[in-house]
């Protein structure tokens, strides 16, 4: 089985509960739509968490969010092939996989493209307090070009989009924090996703980032919720 959930931010209590309820094994997959928080502090704190997670009877596929280090910048990660695409992987923790932006994975018969990253609205709060923040949190032009080139190969048709943030037109403004000056927020990733969505034929799009559950059009926002990924029925002409 393949499940999807939103940001975990290093709290995996609900994932443990999912494993208990479903009787999962490492043949089952949970997609975390960014901000898993597994690579946040570096050693030794991250290692201790990874050791705990490696004992869980499930495989995690984590998208890049905006509160974590990109695994390609960590020396211990290797690229391996998984479900038709490349993932980042550490041999010590074989059930902890990190998606590579722009890859298309075959999941339950669905062609799923991954697009991670977003802007941190708490960037300056974190910087003032000496907390971790990474300047490559948003997709670079290189990553954007990779995503668009991969979609070109797919004829701009996929079954499912898995992203951390959403296209600009779908931003859930009702959950904005009143303490954040929205004029200071960099929406360039969301604006780019708008342009991607304009060209793309797809059946479902799943994202997180905004800590809400919401469904509008083909877009579903997840936070603490779990959805089961099923084979898409191609009623849209795909």
């Amino acid at each position: 089985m393949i499940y999807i959930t939103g940001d975990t931010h290093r709290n995996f209590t609900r994932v443990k509960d999912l494993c208990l309820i479903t009787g999962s094994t490492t043949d089952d997959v949970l997609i975390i739509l960014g901000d898993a928080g597994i690579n946040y502090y570096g050693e030794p704190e991250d290692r201790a968490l990874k050791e705990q997670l490696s004992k869980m009877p499930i495989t995690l596929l984590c998208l890049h969010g905006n509160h974590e280090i990109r695994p390609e910048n960590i020396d211990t990660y290797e690229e391996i092939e998984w479900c038709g695409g490349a993932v980042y992987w550490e041999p010590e923790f074989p059930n902890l996989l990190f998606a590579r932006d722009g890859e298309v994975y075959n999941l339950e018969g669905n062609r799923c493209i991954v697009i991670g990253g977003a802007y941190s609205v708490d960037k300056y709060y974190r910087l003032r307090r000496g907390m971790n923040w990474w300047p490559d949190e948003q997709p670079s032009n290189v990553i954007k070009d990779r995503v668009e080139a991969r979609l070109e190969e797919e004829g701009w048709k996929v079954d499912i989009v898995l992203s951390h943030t959403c296209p600009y037109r779908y931003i859930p403004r009702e959950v904005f924090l009143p303490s954040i000056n929205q004029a200071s927020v960099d929406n360039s990733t969301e604006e780019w996703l708008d342009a991607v969505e304009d060209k793309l034929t797809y059946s479902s799009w799943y994202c997180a980032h905004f800590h809400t559950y919401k469904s509008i059009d083909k877009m579903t926002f997840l936070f603490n919720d779990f959805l089961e990924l099923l084979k898409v029925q191609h009623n849209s002409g795909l």
Side-chain angles (χ1 to χ4, degrees), residues 40-61:
Y40 182 79
Y41 293 106
E43 297 286 349
E45 291 93 338
D46 288 343
R47 169 169 288 273
L49 177 60
K50 291 174 185 179
E51 288 174 349
Q52 294 175 30
L53 297 178
S54 69
K55 298 172 184 174
M56 293 177 62
I58 199 163
T59 293
L60 303 182
L61 175 67

Side-chain angles (χ1 to χ4, degrees), residues 101-116:
D101 289 341
E103 293 295 297
V104 174
Y105 303 109
N106 188 346
L107 303 175
E108 299 288 10
N110 301 300
R111 302 286 289 166
C112 304
I113 191 160
V114 166
I115 310 173

Side-chain angles (χ1 to χ4, degrees), residues 157-216:
K157 293 181 181 180
V158 294
D159 296 310
I160 293 171
V161 181
L162 302 169
S163 66
H164 184 52
T165 189
C166 66
Y168 184 80
R169 64 175 62 92
Y170 292 107
I171 290 176
R173 290 167 175 79
E174 69 274 10
V175 300
F176 281 176
L177 298 173
S179 59
I180 300 294
N181 176 7
Q182 293 300 319
S184 68
V185 174
D186 180 353
N187 291 309
S188 57
T189 297
E190 289 79 11
E191 291 166 354
W192 169 65
L193 289 175
D194 249 6
V196 168
E197 200 219 5
D198 282 340
K199 295 179 64 176
L200 187 62
T201 300
Y202 66 96
S203 293
S204 301
W205 189 313
Y206 299 100
C207 60
H209 185 50
F210 293 96
H211 295 191
T212 189
Y213 180 83
K214 179 179 181 178
S215 185
I216 178 172

Side-chain angles (χ1 to χ4, degrees), residues 3 12-26 28-30 52-53 55-60 95 226:
Y3 306 94
F12 292 88
T13 301
R14 73 179 189 268
V15 179
K16 293 178 183 177
D17 290 344
L18 175 73
C19 294
L20 287 172
I21 291 167
T22 63
S24 64
T25 73
T26 51
D28 300 303
V29 175
L30 173 62
Q52 294 175 30
L53 297 178
K55 298 172 184 174
M56 293 177 62
I58 199 163
T59 293
L60 303 182
N95 66 322
F226 292 100

Side-chain angles (χ1 to χ4, degrees), residues 68-173:
E68 52 204 346
I69 307 166
R70 288 185 178 271
E72 57 263 45
N73 297 332
I74 301 173
D75 292 341
T76 51
Y77 279 90
E78 305 171 9
E79 267 192 37
I80 62 169
E81 185 174 345
W82 181 82
C83 291
V87 294
Y88 300 105
W89 172 81
E90 291 173 299
E92 285 185 85
F93 311 111
N95 66 322
L96 307 180
L97 309 177
F98 292 82
R100 183 175 185 265
D101 289 341
E103 293 295 297
V104 174
Y105 303 109
N106 188 346
L107 303 175
E108 299 288 10
N110 301 300
R111 302 286 289 166
C112 304
I113 191 160
V114 166
I115 310 173
Y119 175 79
S120 293
V121 297
D122 62 346
K123 169 183 175 180
Y124 297 107
Y125 175 91
R126 287 154 63 189
L127 288 173
R128 283 195 299 268
R129 287 159 177 78
M131 300 166 70
N132 287 342
W133 174 80
W134 298 275
D136 61 353
E137 61 182 8
Q138 300 197 76
S140 64
N141 288 334
V142 170
I143 290 174
K144 291 176 180 178
D145 288 346
R146 183 199 305 157
V147 168
E148 294 188 28
R150 191 69 183 86
L151 289 173
E152 189 71 36
E153 291 177 15
E154 297 289 323
W156 287 90
K157 293 181 181 180
V158 294
D159 296 310
I160 293 171
V161 181
L162 302 169
S163 66
H164 184 52
T165 189
C166 66
Y168 184 80
R169 64 175 62 92
Y170 292 107
I171 290 176
R173 290 167 175 79

